[in-house]
Amino acid sequence: MTFLIIAAEKQLYTQKKSQLQYEKTLLLSQVSTIQREMGYIEDAYNEDGDSTSLDQDPEYKRLERLEENLETEQETLQAQIDFLSEVITSDKSLLTQGIKDSCGLNLTGS
């Protein structure tokens, strides 16, 4: 019965890890879009020859803050993914070792 619980737990953690990896991929896409938008703003200021005003552009500042927040979220997700990977590996080891221990050959003569 313990094997079933560990196997179910491992499957649940594997699904959660996949979900977190998907969320991280979405965040990476958002960061890429933000960086592209920031590049457009930078290009517009460079065309005007006024790069000093870039730091004072409210939209550019907003995008910078958003990028920082998303990168922090990515780091948090990666930490959760790493933790779940360790738990999944541990559960896999428990299952493998438990099966080996419980599947001994019993040769008794009747």
Side-chain angles (χ1 to χ4, degrees), residues 54-109:
L54 179 64
D55 294 334
Q56 297 169 356
D57 186 290
E59 180 63 12
Y60 190 82
K61 289 174 118 179
R62 183 187 74 78
L63 291 172
E64 278 184 322
R65 286 191 307 272
L66 185 56
E67 179 187 26
E68 289 172 9
N69 290 340
L70 291 175
E71 287 175 349
T72 301
E73 281 186 55
Q74 285 179 36
E75 292 170 7
T76 302
L77 286 175
Q78 186 59 51
Q80 292 174 352
I81 289 168
D82 293 343
F83 174 75
L84 286 174
S85 293
E86 291 175 17
V87 172
I88 291 166
T89 301
S90 175
D91 283 353
K92 185 177 178 180
S93 296
L94 279 173
L95 285 170
T96 303
Q97 189 60 39
I99 290 171
K100 288 178 183 177
D101 289 345
S102 66
C103 292
L105 181 59
N106 190 358
L107 297 174
T108 56

